[in-house]
Each structure stands twice: as C-alpha cells, then as structure tokens.
Amino acid sequence: MKYRIALIKGDGIGPEIIDSAVAVLDETADRLGLTIIYDECAAGGQAIELYGNPLPAETVRICKRSDAVLLGAVGAVKWELLPAYMRPERAILGLRTELGLYANLRPIVLHIPLAEASPLRRDITERGFNFVFVR
C-alpha cells in the first residue's frame, strides 16, 4: 500500500521532532512493506518567513490531497508581536477549519521515575498516570 503524508515541520523544535517521527515511520513502513510519499510544505513561522502568510494556499492544497498530515510545533518569540491574523498559530486554526477537524488529542503520561519532577501532589503522582485530554 502507498500513503501520502504532508509534512509540516514547523518552527523551533518542530523540525527535529518531525525528522525523528519520519525515521520511525520509515522503519515501520519498511517492516510492513508500505510505501510512504512525503510532501513537505510550510506553515507557521517558516511560512511567514518564506511567503508572508502563516498558512499558504499551497500548504492547504497539499494537506487536502494527503492521507495524513504530520505537523510539528509552530511559533516562537520571534513572531509574538505580529498582529493576531499573522501569528504562526493561525496556521493550526486554519488547518483545522480547512480540513474539517474539531478534536485535539493530548496524551499525558507520567512515568514513575519522573514523578518527583511533577508539580502535582505526591499522592497523585506516586503510581504515575496515563490519560488523554480531548479538546
């Protein structure tokens, strides 16, 4: 089987995270005999720098023709003083609208060895936790 994935590397640590995710996807695809075609496109601060727009029409077009979109973090201090309609985060809202998305899943896992680093009470963290916020 062949899958097309739109890659939006984003800003800050986004490119590093997406590059790592692609490495995992490539290994998984290789083991399962799948083919993945990646189409890199810009959104967020990167798109502002390249095109003067946080969500270019070409990015939306690529995302709509893809089987999935892999989106890295967008935004940085560098763009905080821009007007609201030009901020990198507008790309996320625009993509949600254009792709008809309404849910945002945020998995939260606290591993026992990291419990001491949590600001939560010890009785909450002592056994760790694993849940998902749905926004």
Side-chain angles (χ1 to χ4, degrees):
M1 293 194 75
K2 187 187 315 186
Y3 296 95
R4 184 173 291 277
I5 298 178
L7 291 182
I8 301 174
K9 292 188 174 187
D11 311 312
I13 65 167
E16 181 180 348
I17 300 299
I18 296 300
D19 288 345
S20 296
V22 166
V24 171
L25 285 171
D26 286 343
E27 180 65 27
T28 303
D30 189 46
R31 290 180 185 214
L32 297 175
L34 304 173
T35 300
I36 299 178
I37 299 166
Y38 299 104
D39 293 315
E40 192 169 333
C41 46
Q46 177 194 34
I48 292 169
E49 297 296 320
L50 293 172
Y51 306 107
N53 180 347
L55 184 61
E58 177 67 4
T59 295
V60 172
R61 187 185 69 72
I62 290 170
C63 290
K64 283 184 173 182
R65 76 163 193 225
S66 299
D67 298 302
V69 177
L70 188 55
L71 171 67
V74 295
V77 174
K78 178 178 182 176
W79 299 289
E80 282 185 358
L81 297 178
L82 290 175
Y85 72 93
M86 277 296 293
R87 297 204 36 180
E89 296 81 9
R90 294 301 304 175
I92 297 169
L93 300 174
L95 279 173
R96 285 182 189 159
T97 299
E98 290 290 335
L99 301 176
L101 304 173
Y102 59 90
N104 184 348
L105 303 178
R106 302 275 176 123
I108 310 293
V109 176
L110 176 66
H111 301 283
I112 299 296
L114 299 175
E116 290 296 321
S118 174
L120 298 174
R121 293 188 327 257
R122 184 165 179 79
D123 64 306
I124 294 172
T125 63
E126 63 190 6
R127 292 181 297 169
F129 48 76
N130 183 350
F131 59 95
V132 177
F133 278 109
V134 179
R135 296 177 60 200

